[in-house]
Amino acid sequence: MLFVIDFDGTLSVGDTVDAMLERFAEPEWRAVEQQWLDGRITAIECMQTQLRMVKTDHVTLENFFRGIQLDASFLPFYRHVSQFAEVAIVSDGLDHAIKVAMKNAALPELPVYANKLHFVPDGIDISWPYRNAACQGGNGVCKCAVARDLSQGDQRVVLIGDGKSDACLAREADVVFAKSGLIRHCKANDIPHFKFQTFADVLAKVKSWPQAMPATSARRDGASA
Ligand SMILES: [Mg+2]
Ligand SMILES: [Zn+2]
């Protein structure tokens, strides 16, 4: 079994990238965000434009990343599932921000698949090691391709996420845990899912599974949760 865990709004309490823009970018970042929400630009175009609006120094950003608040119930969840499953953080956010936040919260060092943050004088830039032009999502990280690689097609994939960047994998995952925007996406597309607020909710559900749960049974009882 492979748990694919979103970062922003899922493992972190808020959206790290939005909070960073709020604090350090020119206010025009909001108009760019709206263009993305309206489907007029891709996630890649959106992030590239927004991150170049960030104007601050390296030390200030590192401090900001250390202050990112994480879901305190993630650690007990991780301790339980890592006994029988692999766990990866797969995020359309920024790799360095995630690693700093997790280290600061004294969480174990997990594999992180995310866009690459680059520091440039007085700001940041981004590159896309997990981009997949064939994916309809238009995201920086194609979560379905990453999950396919990691699971090698023979592990059951459990997605835990909250938003637009999770949509491409929601279609393919064996089990979906959803909150906020991802719930709406699953409902609109008839994707069975469990609702959750924190990793304590996810852990409670996972503990009710026999460890060798066949994917089909999760699909069957998933929609009503
Ligand atoms: Mg998210
Ligand atoms: Zn994809």
Side-chain angles (χ1 to χ4, degrees), residues 6 8 10 162:
D6 173 54
D8 286 299
T10 300
D162 76 320

Side-chain angles (χ1 to χ4, degrees), residues 91-139:
S91 161
D92 208 11
L94 300 166
D95 60 348
H96 184 68
I98 295 168
K99 287 174 188 170
V100 170
M102 292 187 69
K103 191 172 180 193
N104 192 57
L107 289 174
E109 222 173 282
L110 293 174
V112 173
Y113 301 86
N115 302 308
K116 191 161 175 47
L117 171 90
H118 303 272
F119 287 100
V120 297
D122 288 324
I124 53 178
D125 208 343
I126 186 169
S127 62
W128 322 95
Y130 303 104
R131 182 179 184 173
N132 171 16
C135 179
Q136 294 176 342
N139 298 307

Side-chain angles (χ1 to χ4, degrees), residues 38-197:
D38 295 344
R40 284 183 283 150
I41 57 173
T42 64
I44 286 186
E45 292 166 326
C46 178
M47 284 185 81
Q48 187 100 62
T49 308
Q50 288 178 324
L51 294 180
R52 285 176 179 166
M53 293 174 169
V54 170
K55 295 281 175 267
T56 189
D57 61 273
H58 191 149
V59 173
T60 307
L61 279 170
E62 293 285 351
N63 281 328
F64 177 78
F65 296 150
R66 275 193 287 272
I68 293 169
Q69 204 195 337
L70 304 183
D71 178 347
S73 60
F74 179 75
L75 188 57
F77 160 84
Y78 174 75
R79 285 202 177 117
H80 179 76
V81 300
S82 60
Q83 297 173 79
F84 59 87
E86 285 177 49
V87 179
I89 309 298
V90 186
S91 161
D92 208 11
L94 300 166
D95 60 348
H96 184 68
I98 295 168
K99 287 174 188 170
V100 170
M102 292 187 69
K103 191 172 180 193
N104 192 57
L107 289 174
E109 222 173 282
L110 293 174
V112 173
Y113 301 86
N115 302 308
K116 191 161 175 47
L117 171 90
H118 303 272
F119 287 100
V120 297
D122 288 324
I124 53 178
D125 208 343
I126 186 169
S127 62
W128 322 95
Y130 303 104
R131 182 179 184 173
N132 171 16
C135 179
Q136 294 176 342
N139 298 307
V141 170
C142 171
K143 296 195 182 190
C144 49
V146 172
R148 248 180 260 134
D149 275 3
L150 294 178
S151 66
Q152 311 210 304
D154 61 3
Q155 281 193 79
R156 277 168 305 112
V157 174
V158 181
L159 167 67
I160 306 174
D162 76 320
K164 227 175 160 176
S165 70
D166 304 299
C168 79
L169 180 54
R171 236 181 301 125
E172 295 186 10
D174 296 289
V175 180
V176 177
F177 285 92
K179 70 175 178 182
S180 57
L182 189 59
I183 295 176
R184 290 191 291 278
H185 174 82
C186 288
K187 283 185 174 159
N189 293 279
D190 288 321
I191 299 167
H193 58 284
F194 297 110
K195 294 187 185 72
F196 78 102
Q197 275 305 312

